[in-house]
Every structure is written in structure tokens, then in C-alpha cells.
Amino acid sequence: MTRFVCRDCGLDFDVNVPRWRCDCGGLLDLDFTPHLDPDRLAGRPATLWRYREALPVPDGAELTLGEGFTPMLPVEIGGREVLVKQEQLFPTGSYKDRGAAVMMAMAAHIGVDRVVEDSSGNAGCAVSAFAAKAGIRCRIFVPADNSPGKLGQIELYGADLVPVPGSREDTASACMAAASDCYYASHVYNPYFFHGTKTFAYEVAEQLGWKAPDAVVLPAGNGTLLLGAHLGFTELLGLGLIDRMPKLVAVQSANCAPLCAAFEAGAREVSQVATAPTLAEGIAIGLPMRGEQMLEAVRETDGTCLAVSEEAVLAAFRDMGRKGFCIEPTSAAVVAGAAEYVRTADADEVVVTVFTGHGLKVGDKLHKLAGGA
């Protein structure tokens, strides 16, 4: 039986009762055993729900906007071919739809009728869209200085938008206060979100013929894709569908790189670091709540952390545009990280990375960032 389990004290809880953290304040994971027979996938819809038996949502409770199974295309990055998952093609324009689909499906299943969430933009868009699909009322707390394109998208789905002055952490604090009497549909605290993002790993493995790549280069803000990928590849290894774990390479902006600082220092926990504004607003998290878990995922896979400069982000953004890809600057940070990684990688390594979000999300800045092109 699937249960919530506290990472700190080990207490477990009924998943059918709304809860976003342990009584001790600890973060929750899911005690869940996946199953999957690849031979049964033929003919199933090309959505993340094709991995039905590996997802911790009861049969019949699926919630979908057609998300999942994004193309994985070869793209020249850093002077060599890298396989890139096209997550910017999701219904709301980012990979966050993976987590929102599974989390909101479970919320609807247990009878939730209203939710709150805090987000730098993309998670808020995803939660708002799937809340609309489920008929659930939704309030999204966002940094007041966030991209207008994302804020407008959230409002389009019918969510109540709550701009919060100050830092990203101030936004999270305001939302947690509101969660005292409302379901917290958090992409950081709610473990169902990570069981949605883990389908990224399932798709990569299936698209490679049930093989693991050598390395996967991913963004590292709150770690929703990094931790989801680690969970997914771990499950695939346990199921015998792949024979090894890929290295996980975590990318941050040099202007906001707490994970990289902790990794380089050999620390077990992530500490708050001095930050500066960055083009990669989607990963500008000064103190990620699951930082210790993120460090473990990178180290367990013999991966590494890379901090990229603003100049490298802008160059990658424009380079991908000239190759036909309209991606948001946070995606470009990951591309810059992939370019740095492959410069020292073995020539025969199979490297996978991701376009995390669509460039039209920053439509107000697109002309300027593109250099007037």
C-alpha cells in the first residue's frame, strides 16, 4: 500500500488524507513499488500515463492534457551531438506539466476542491492548468517581478494570482501560511510531483531502446526534474529495465548557485549563499528545501555540479535560436551547462539534456534577448 514517509523521522501517513509535511516538519517521500512490462506499452497513448503501473495514482484517476513523450532530438551543443528532450512542447510550455498531472490527479482523487502553490512561473502555470482541467479552485503565489508572460498564462487558466514583493523565499513563505487551511499543491513538498517528473527518465530509457544514457544534464533550482530523474532511473534499474545509473549533472546560474557551492565544499547540506539577479529565473533558488537530497542524487551517480555565467546563458539562448529552437533563458542555462560538460566528457558518451521551457514565456523580453534579430 502506498504511504507518505517522513525523510527525517520515518513516520508514515495515509496518502488519502491531505498532508504536505510530517508533524516533525520533515519532508515527505512516497513508499511505493512500481511495476512495468515494456511489452505492454505498444499501442498505448504517447503520454506519461503509458507508464501507468509505475505511477502511484489509483486506476481511473488519471488527469491529462496530452502531456508526455516529448521528442528527443540530436542537437549540436558545445561542438558535439547531444540528445535533447523537447520539454518546451508540453501543453503549458514546460516539463512541470509532468509533476502537475500526477499531483493534481491525486488531489482530485481524494476530493480536494481548492489548492495553493508558490512558483517562479512554470510550476504555477502547470498547476493552474491541471487545476482547471480537474475543476479545482487555485491560487498561485508568485514573485512580483516575474515574467508577465507567465503571470498572464496563470491567470488565463482561471487561477487567482497573488504577487509577493521580495525574494523567491518570501513567496514560498506567504504561500505556506495560506496552506494552513488549504491543500498545498507544492512542486517542492508534494512527493507526487516527483513521481510525475520521474517519467522523464522512463521516456529517455524507452527512447534509447531501454538503455540508460551515460550522463543527463539537468537544471537544479528546487530539483524537481533532477530528483524526479534520479527517482525514475533508480526505479528502472530496480526493475531490470536498465543496467546502470547515468551520471546526473546539475546546472545552476553562477549568480545563484548554492548547490554548486555545497558540492565543491564537500558539504552534506546546502547553505544560503549570496545571490544576484539572473536570466535563469526558473532556477534562482537561494536555499532549496531538498538541497541535501539533490546533493545525494548527484554524488550517488558520480555526477557533478556546474555553475554557468550570464554571458554563457545568453550565448546559448541565441545559439539555440539560430538552430530553430525558441527556449526560455532558464533552458539556455542548462544548454550552457551541457556545453561545458561535453568539453571534458569522453567522446563516446551518450549525453542527454533538456529544453525545460518555451521561449514565448518571456515574450516581453524576447526581442531584447535575441539581440534585436
Side-chain angles (χ1 to χ4, degrees):
M1 180 182 294
T2 303
R3 303 279 291 178
F4 286 129
V5 179
C6 177
R7 292 185 61 83
D8 290 346
C9 72
L11 276 179
D12 65 276
F13 305 94
D14 185 350
V15 295
N16 294 302
V17 178
R19 171 178 286 274
W20 60 276
R21 63 182 172 189
C22 180
D23 294 340
C24 76
L27 295 165
L28 299 175
D29 287 337
L30 285 181
D31 181 4
F32 168 73
T33 302
H35 302 278
L36 192 67
D37 179 357
D39 293 336
R40 298 183 63 184
L41 298 181
R44 290 187 178 183
T47 73
L48 61 82
W49 295 102
R50 68 193 280 104
Y51 309 115
R52 189 69 201 75
E53 302 87 341
L55 293 171
V57 176
D59 288 339
E62 298 86 350
L63 185 68
T64 185
L65 290 168
E67 66 292 329
F69 223 76
T70 55
M72 186 163 66
L73 304 178
V75 179
E76 183 183 328
I77 295 175
R80 58 173 283 184
E81 184 178 282
V82 175
L83 296 173
V84 183
K85 283 285 279 177
Q86 307 288 303
E87 305 282 276
Q88 83 279 17
L89 302 179
F90 268 102
T92 77
S94 88
Y95 78 87
K96 296 287 177 59
D97 287 359
R98 293 188 184 276
V102 174
M103 177 176 67
M104 295 305 293
M106 189 61 187
H109 173 72
I110 64 175
V112 169
D113 62 3
R114 59 192 183 98
V115 302
V116 294
E117 156 72 321
D118 57 283
S119 168
S120 61
N122 285 337
C125 293
V127 171
S128 299
F130 285 90
K133 175 70 175 179
I136 294 173
R137 288 179 294 160
C138 181
R139 269 195 303 160
I140 304 293
F141 291 72
V142 297
D145 60 353
N146 224 53
S147 296
K150 294 177 183 177
L151 304 188
Q153 188 180 359
I154 290 169
E155 290 182 304
L156 179 64
Y157 298 131
D160 293 328
L161 194 66
V162 184
V164 180
S167 69
R168 178 64 180 84
E169 288 70 30
D170 293 327
T171 301
S173 296
C175 187
M176 282 189 277
S180 62
D181 63 352
C182 187
Y183 186 88
Y184 190 15
S186 171
H187 63 294
V188 179
Y189 283 94
N190 194 310
Y192 279 93
F193 199 95
F194 297 94
H195 280 264
T197 56
K198 78 180 183 185
T199 58
F200 172 90
Y202 279 73
E203 290 180 19
V204 168
E206 183 177 1
Q207 288 169 317
L208 290 175
W210 297 110
K211 295 180 180 178
D214 295 294
V216 185
V217 184
L218 298 169
N222 274 312
T224 49
L225 188 54
L226 179 74
L227 294 177
H230 183 259
L231 174 61
F233 285 119
T234 298
E235 289 183 350
L236 289 163
L237 188 62
L239 290 167
L241 297 178
I242 58 175
D243 60 6
R244 58 191 170 81
M245 286 288 287
K247 292 180 285 187
L248 295 182
V249 179
V251 180
Q252 297 194 300
S253 161
N255 283 3
C256 186
L259 190 76
C260 293
F263 182 83
E264 291 298 326
R268 181 174 176 272
E269 298 181 352
V270 176
S271 300
Q272 180 80 51
V273 296
T275 64
T278 174
L279 291 171
E281 64 182 15
I283 52 174
I285 308 298
L287 185 61
M289 287 302 302
R290 292 184 182 263
E292 181 179 343
Q293 196 175 348
M294 293 162 69
L295 282 172
E296 290 172 359
V298 172
R299 287 173 173 149
E300 285 175 6
T301 61
D302 294 322
T304 191
C305 294
L306 299 173
V308 296
S309 69
E310 296 299 288
E311 293 78 13
V313 173
L314 184 57
F317 175 81
R318 291 173 174 171
D319 181 45
M320 290 302 101
R322 302 310 189 269
K323 288 180 169 66
F325 301 105
C326 181
I327 60 174
E328 65 175 335
T330 299
S331 294
V334 185
V335 174
E340 183 175 336
Y341 176 76
V342 298
R343 290 189 189 104
T344 57
D346 293 340
D348 60 350
E349 274 194 44
V350 176
V351 180
V352 170
T353 191
V354 56
F355 291 156
T356 55
H358 205 288
L360 293 179
K361 285 177 171 285
V362 292
D364 57 308
K365 303 176 184 176
L366 202 56
H367 181 73
K368 180 179 178 180
L369 290 174

